[in-house]
Amino acid sequence: MGMTMTQKILADHAGLPSVKAGELIKARLDMVLGNDITTPVAVKEFRKIGMDKVFDKEKIAIVPDHFTPNKDIKSAEQVKFIREFAKEMGIVNYFEIGQMGVEHALLPEKGLVVPGDVVIGADSHTCTYGALGAFSTGIGSTDMAAGMATGEAWFKVPEAIKFVLKGKPGKWVSGKDVILHIIGMIGVDGALYKSMEFVGEGVANLSMDDRFAMANMAIEAGGKNGIFEVDEKTLQYVKEHSTKEYRIFKADEDAEYAAIYEIDLACVKPTVAFPHLPSNTRTIDNVGEVKIDQVIIGSCTNGRIEDMRVAAEILKGRKVHPDVRCIIIPATQKIWKQSMSEGLFDIFIDAGAAVSTPTCGPCLGGHMGILAKGERAVATTNRNFVGRMGHPESEVYLASPAIAAASAIAGRIASPEEV
Amino acid sequence: MMNAHGKAIKYGDNVDTDVIIPARYLNTSDPEELAKYCMEDIDKDFVNKVCKGDIMVAGKNFGCGSSREHAPIAIKASGISCVIAETFARIFYRNAINIGLPIVECPEAAEDISDGDEVKVDFDSGIITNVTKSKTYKGVPFPRFMQEIMAADGLIGYIRQNKK
C-alpha cells in the first residue's frame, strides 16, 4: 500500500522501507525547538536523564518569544535559566532579544528547516513548517528533553486527510481565510491524530506566507501536522534562506486517506472565527454588527511581511477608529526592518496604530495588549479560547490581516471593501 | 500499575489547555503553584472541591490547544488520579503519558458518568466501574510501548532505564 507525504518522511527518518498508519516508530530528529515557557520544564527533565550534553548542539533551537522582552521578574528568571542552559550546552541556535522573533516565523527565515526534515517543538504551532514540506509537530517539554538527549522521538504514524486545492483566491482572501474555512468545515477535532496534506494545482496560487499561516493552524483542527507538496515557490524560498540539504517527498499515487476534500480557492470568502473556538466561523458577509476594542496584527500565524503589507495597504491614508487600540507586531527582526524600509511603519503610525518589537505577547494573554472584562479584539492570531487574550469574559475574533486592518478603521468587524 | 478511585468531576467537550492553566500563570513551572490555578477560567470552584484521588471526566478533544505540559502537571498536582475522556487532543495525550498522569479514552464512560459519581479505574484491565450507578465500561488500553513508559514513571524514567 502506498504512503502519504508524512508517512514517507517518517519512514525515512525511522530507517524503515515503509510504515503504516497506527504503527509506533522512533524517528531521527533534524531539529528540536523550545520557547521560554516550555524550555524551563524541558531543562529540568533533561537534567534528570543525567546526561551532560545534548545530542547535537546545532540541531536545537531555543527562542524566548512568549513573555519577552521579559514582562515580569518570574519571566526574566525563566529566560535566564534557559539562557544559562543554552550557553552551558553550546546551543548554536539560541536567539536573544535583538535577534529573536516569533519562533515559527524565525526558524524558516533562518533556514533552520527545509523540505523533508523531521522537527519537533515544545510549542503546538510547530506544525507551521509543514509549509516547507517538512514533517513538524508540537510536543511537550518532556518530549523536548528526550529529543535534546537522544535526537529521537516516538511517533504513532498518522493517517491523513487530503485537501485538494484548486483555483485562485479572491483579492482579500488569504491563507488564513482558507484555513479558517477548513477548520469551520471539519471542526476543532476534525483532524485529530491525523496529518492534513495540502496538494493540487491551487497550491501554486498560495504564497509561502499563506502556506505558513495554513500549516500553522493545522493544530486548531486537532491535526498532528499540516504539510504542503513542495513546488517551485518552496524551492525558491529554501534557496533564499538556507544552505541545508533538502529532500522532496511526494505521496504515492495509491496512498490511502481517511478523507479527501476538494476546495476551490475562488469560492472561499473572507472568514472570521467567533468566540470561543477556531471552528466557530462565519463568512464576512454574515458577521453582523460586532463592535471591537482592540486589533492585533501579528503572531506566528500572520506576523510576516505580506501580512504587514496588506495591513498597510488598507490603513494607508486612513485612521484607526477612536475606540480601537490597533497593535501591530512584525514577527521577526528581519520582517521589522523590511517593514520599516518599505515605509509601512509610517503608514501604521500615521493611522494611529502602535508598532511593537517581536513577541507572542497578546496572542496567549501574556502581555502587550491584554483585554479587560467584556472587551473584544479582532486578532490575526490562532486561538480564541475563553480567556486566551486576557479576562475570561473577554472575546477574541480570529481573522486575516486584511479583515483586522479594516476592522481597526471601522471600529467593528468589517471587510476591506467597506472602508 | 495502580488504580484510581474517587469522585467524578465532569466537564464538556474541547476543554483547552488555556482554561486548564491560563497563560498568565505560566511564568512558573512549579507544580504546586500551578495547581492553585488549575481550571480557573472554566470552573473557579475546582481547586476548592477537588479531593486527592478524584477523577476528571470530559467529552471530546480534551486538552486541545497549547502544548504546555503545565496543563497535565497542574491537573496531576491538584490531586486528580485519572482523566477519562471521549477523546484527547494528541499533544495532551503524549504529555500525560510522558509525565505519568493516567488517562483513559472511553466514550461510553465519558457520556454516562455524572458529576459526583464514585468511580474506580483499573489500569491493567482498562475497566472503569461506576460505583454510584453500578455500571462498568471498557476503556481503550494503552499499547505496550506506552505501558512501558508509564511503568517507568514517564518518558524520562524510560530513557534512563534504556540508557544503562
Side-chain angles (χ1 to χ4, degrees):
Chain A
M1 195 177 79
M3 291 188 282
T4 65
M5 267 188 278
T6 299
Q7 289 166 357
K8 279 196 164 173
I9 297 173
L10 287 175
D12 175 79
H13 282 69
L16 298 168
S18 71
V19 294
K20 55 181 195 299
E23 193 176 336
L24 282 160
I25 57 154
K26 267 185 198 160
R28 185 171 51 74
L29 302 171
D30 297 299
M31 187 58 68
V32 178
L33 166 71
N35 60 49
D36 50 321
I37 290 177
T38 56
T39 309
V41 181
V43 170
K44 286 181 197 162
E45 294 303 312
F46 179 86
R47 301 285 191 203
K48 286 185 201 161
I49 301 171
M51 287 176 78
D52 55 4
K53 61 174 199 269
V54 296
F55 86 103
D56 187 333
K57 56 192 182 182
E58 297 195 8
K59 291 186 177 170
I60 292 165
I62 297 178
V63 188
D65 59 356
H66 277 57
F67 292 162
T68 55
N70 300 320
K71 74 183 179 95
D72 55 23
I73 295 169
K74 282 183 173 176
S75 305
E77 279 167 357
Q78 292 202 126
V79 175
K80 184 165 178 258
F81 180 67
I82 62 174
R83 180 186 298 120
E84 286 168 358
F85 173 78
K87 276 194 182 157
E88 181 192 334
M89 295 293 153
I91 288 168
V92 178
N93 298 302
Y94 172 79
F95 297 98
E96 193 53 86
I97 296 293
Q99 281 94 49
M100 57 71 74
V102 175
E103 53 195 316
H104 309 307
L106 188 69
L107 263 57
E109 183 189 285
K110 295 282 181 191
L112 295 175
V113 183
V114 293
D117 277 356
V118 169
V119 181
I120 61 167
D123 186 284
S124 58
H125 294 108
T126 302
C127 50
T128 308
Y129 318 127
L132 292 164
F135 170 80
S136 64
T137 191
I139 43 78
S141 299
T142 299
D143 274 316
M144 181 190 176
M148 289 196 296
T150 64
E152 288 182 340
W154 65 267
F155 296 107
K156 193 169 164 186
V157 176
E159 52 177 355
I161 300 177
K162 180 156 93 167
F163 296 88
V164 183
L165 310 180
K166 61 174 196 174
K168 204 176 168 182
K171 164 76 178 152
W172 299 113
V173 174
S174 68
K176 180 63 161 287
D177 300 290
V178 179
I179 194 66
L180 285 175
H181 169 78
I182 289 172
I183 297 165
M185 189 171 72
I186 67 172
V188 288
D189 62 350
L192 193 59
Y193 309 128
K194 298 184 181 74
S195 302
M196 295 170 76
E197 303 209 342
F198 300 100
V199 299
E201 39 103 1
V203 170
N205 296 321
L206 296 167
S207 69
M208 286 312 294
D209 286 3
D210 284 324
R211 299 180 202 182
F212 283 123
M214 286 177 65
N216 174 272
M217 288 188 73
I219 180 70
E220 305 324 325
K224 183 170 195 137
N225 67 314
I227 187 167
F228 279 79
E229 213 164 54
V230 172
D231 67 3
E232 279 170 28
K233 277 188 189 169
T234 327
L235 296 179
Q236 183 62 29
Y237 184 95
V238 172
K239 204 172 134 193
E240 286 166 10
H241 293 86
S242 190
T243 52
K244 265 180 73 174
E245 215 177 296
Y246 65 84
R247 291 174 65 197
I248 299 170
F249 292 86
K250 272 195 167 197
D252 290 322
E253 290 289 328
D254 59 342
E256 275 191 13
Y257 297 91
I260 299 174
Y261 294 94
E262 214 172 84
I263 293 168
D264 185 351
L265 299 174
C267 296
V268 176
K269 290 181 183 172
T271 301
V272 179
F274 275 48
H276 288 286
L277 284 176
S279 57
N280 191 15
T281 54
R282 295 190 200 178
T283 52
I284 192 67
D285 45 335
N286 285 312
V287 294
E289 179 80 12
V290 183
K291 281 200 163 32
I292 57 164
D293 306 282
Q294 181 166 292
V295 164
I296 299 288
I297 300 173
S299 83
C300 59
T301 316
N302 284 123
R304 297 186 180 81
I305 191 64
E306 282 182 9
D307 303 315
M308 298 297 121
R309 285 177 188 148
V310 74
E313 186 182 341
I314 293 161
L315 287 167
K316 189 169 187 176
R318 297 190 173 93
K319 290 282 180 201
V320 170
H321 191 279
D323 295 338
V324 176
R325 294 99 57 183
C326 179
I327 302 164
I328 301 177
I329 314 175
T332 66
Q333 291 290 92
K334 187 179 173 187
I335 297 165
W336 215 94
K337 195 174 169 188
Q338 206 174 344
S339 303
M340 185 170 63
S341 56
E342 290 181 17
L344 309 185
F345 289 171
D346 288 327
I347 295 169
F348 295 154
I349 291 162
D350 289 345
V355 179
S356 160
T357 196
T359 181
C360 304
C363 171
L364 76 160
H367 64 155
M368 286 303 298
I370 303 303
L371 299 174
K373 183 176 176 175
E375 286 192 326
R376 288 191 187 125
V378 172
T380 67
T381 56
N382 41 50
R383 290 199 175 119
N384 55 355
F385 299 150
V386 169
R388 175 74 178 176
M389 199 174 277
H391 195 281
E393 287 170 48
S394 62
E395 294 181 345
V396 177
Y397 295 74
L398 305 174
S400 70
I403 298 289
S407 304
I409 298 162
R412 60 178 169 82
I413 302 178
S415 152
E417 280 160 8
E418 298 175 62
V419 297
Chain B
M1 269 168 87
M2 50 172 196
N3 297 326
H5 184 189
K7 73 170 189 298
I9 300 179
K10 194 164 180 182
Y11 299 103
D13 291 340
N14 301 314
V15 173
D16 61 77
T17 54
D18 277 275
V19 295
I20 295 172
I21 183 72
R24 58 185 176 275
Y25 303 119
L26 298 185
N27 55 7
T28 178
S29 59
D30 176 48
E32 297 310 315
E33 189 66 17
L34 293 169
K36 284 188 207 164
Y37 310 107
C38 189
M39 311 304 281
E40 186 178 279
D41 284 0
I42 191 177
D43 180 7
K44 269 198 160 47
D45 199 34
F46 172 79
V47 290
N48 301 317
K49 70 186 178 196
V50 67
C51 298
K52 195 166 167 50
D54 281 354
I55 292 165
M56 201 178 272
V57 181
K60 288 191 295 183
N61 203 23
F62 184 87
C64 61
S66 156
S67 69
R68 62 190 70 160
E69 210 159 281
H70 310 64
I73 290 171
I75 291 173
K76 194 179 176 189
S78 75
I80 291 288
S81 61
C82 177
V83 185
I84 299 168
E86 189 178 331
T87 54
F88 290 91
R90 60 159 287 275
I91 303 177
F92 185 93
Y93 187 92
R94 278 187 89 99
N95 287 348
I97 291 165
N98 285 345
I99 69 153
L101 168 69
I103 55 173
V104 183
E105 267 191 358
C106 183
E108 196 194 351
E111 164 87 30
D112 200 50
I113 294 170
S114 305
D115 194 67
D117 282 358
E118 185 188 343
V119 175
K120 286 182 178 176
V121 185
D122 183 317
F123 295 123
D124 288 326
S125 62
I127 300 284
I128 299 163
T129 307
N130 187 331
V131 179
T132 307
K133 292 198 169 98
S134 305
K135 279 175 144 177
T136 59
Y137 325 94
K138 181 85 180 82
V140 180
F142 285 123
R144 195 174 55 85
F145 172 72
M146 291 181 199
Q147 279 182 25
E148 285 170 16
I149 293 176
M150 296 288 278
D153 199 26
L155 185 63
I156 298 303
Y158 177 80
I159 291 171
R160 283 177 61 145
Q161 277 177 10
N162 287 285
K163 198 178 70 163
K164 283 162 196 163

